Every structure is written in C-alpha cells, then in structure tokens.
Amino acid sequence: LRAELEATQKALAAAEESLFIANWSAFRNAKLVGRGGFAEVFSADWREQQVALKVPRIGLNKHEVLKIERDLRLEMKRLQSLDHINVVRCLGLVKGGTAGIALAMSYCGGGSVHELLYSEQPPAMPERLRWIAGLAHALAYIHGQGVLHMDVKPENLLLNDTREVKLADFGLSKVTSTF
C-alpha cells in the first residue's frame, strides 16, 4: 500500500511538473506592459518569440498565494483547451519570478480595445465593427466549448500586431456543461 501511495505521489508530481514550460530565467527582456487588479503583465522574449507573462501581484499571505496558484492553473487549463483565432493562446505556466509562478500567453502587441477607444484618435467604425464580430466569434466558440468568460470588457480585448481582436483574461471564467 505504501509503495502504491508513493507511486501515485510521484505520478502526480510529474503531472504537476509537466504544466510548467520553463523557469523565469528562460525569458529575456521582460518589460511591464499592463496592470490589473490581480496581476501585472510583462512582455518578454522566449524561444525566438515575444510572449506575455501574467504575474500575480506579490505581498500576499501564504493562503492567498496558494489560491492564486490554483486559479492560474485553472485559467491555464481552460485556455489550453481553447483553440480559436479570436482567443489569446496559452503557452503554459512559468516557474519562478517574484510571485513564484506566472502564466505565459501569446503576446498581443496592439494594446487593448480600451486603450484605443479612449485614445486621441479612436478607430473608425468599420474597425470597431470588425472587433465586435471577432468578439462574437470568440464568445460563440467558447460557449460552444462550455466556457463562460464572466469578465468581457474592453480591457480584456487585446489586439495583435495586425489589430485582430483576441479575448483574454479567463481568470474569472466558469465551465458549464449546459446552457
């Protein structure tokens, strides 16, 4: 029985380790690009690509850190189960850094819809309509996958370098089997 328990614990530890794609030290040129209530987002270079790193804010007690780690793992699993042109792509978890854990995602260098809507030269209506259509496609897809985003707002609509909209921040999302 003890050998079975040890084997199960080793298997669980190996499965846990497979969630991590790299250590923080593998990322270069990290720059702060955004802040939210829960985390800061950095852009960084990794394996010849630019990525976004969602890093939980530090200064929390141990209970809060464990909850954040659990929440990041859930967000990663939800994002990795989704594959759509209008949903930000999740690469996996990162070990280390100031918070001990981070979530690596595809980088959207075009900023957020919120930033552009409130800029000195807001986008023209045709571009706004394209973003709305992209959001509608993303929502139809994730709802078809049984995922409810729960936090759709302009700040969570990111734009890639070609200004294609990407639904991001699945931290509050829920999974449901029926609608």
Side-chain angles (χ1 to χ4, degrees):
L1 188 59
R2 176 174 272 175
E4 273 184 43
L5 179 61
E6 287 175 5
T8 301
Q9 287 173 334
K10 284 182 183 178
L12 287 172
E16 174 74 15
E17 193 63 31
S18 71
L19 298 176
F20 291 91
I21 58 168
N23 286 319
W24 184 265
S25 60
F27 297 86
R28 301 282 179 241
N29 304 317
K31 296 178 203 106
L32 181 67
V33 293
R35 281 192 171 95
F38 161 78
E40 297 177 323
V41 178
F42 294 82
S43 69
D45 298 324
W46 181 64
R47 294 187 178 174
E48 300 181 25
Q49 65 180 317
Q50 194 170 19
V51 299
L53 299 170
K54 181 177 183 177
V55 180
R57 292 191 180 208
I58 58 174
L60 305 170
N61 66 45
K62 186 174 179 167
H63 175 73
E64 290 170 317
V65 168
L66 291 174
K67 181 186 180 316
I68 286 171
E69 285 182 7
R70 187 195 78 226
D71 291 347
L72 269 183
R73 283 178 174 82
L74 285 172
E75 183 176 359
M76 182 207 63
K77 287 177 182 175
R78 286 187 188 133
L79 269 173
Q80 283 189 329
S81 72
L82 302 172
D83 183 17
H84 190 272
I85 193 165
N86 297 113
V87 175
V88 72
R89 188 170 53 94
C90 178
L91 304 171
L93 292 173
V94 176
K95 197 181 276 190
T98 55
I101 190 170
L103 182 62
M105 298 168 285
S106 57
Y107 179 70
C108 296
S112 73
V113 167
H114 180 267
E115 292 167 350
L116 290 177
L117 287 176
Y118 294 97
S119 67
E120 289 194 22
Q121 292 211 325
M125 191 56 68
E127 187 166 26
R128 293 178 190 202
L129 293 173
R130 216 171 32 87
W131 296 341
I132 292 168
L135 172 61
H137 289 296
L139 291 173
Y141 171 76
I142 69 169
H143 291 172
Q145 301 298 309
V147 176
L148 300 175
H149 187 276
M150 307 300 290
D151 197 21
V152 177
K153 58 186 178 184
E155 293 89 337
N156 290 338
L157 301 176
L158 304 181
L159 302 168
N160 65 9
D161 293 332
T162 61
R163 289 174 71 131
E164 185 174 57
V165 73
K166 306 281 184 178
L167 182 58
D169 196 349
F170 282 70
L172 297 178
S173 65
K174 307 277 185 220
V175 176
T176 182
S177 57
T178 59
F179 287 96

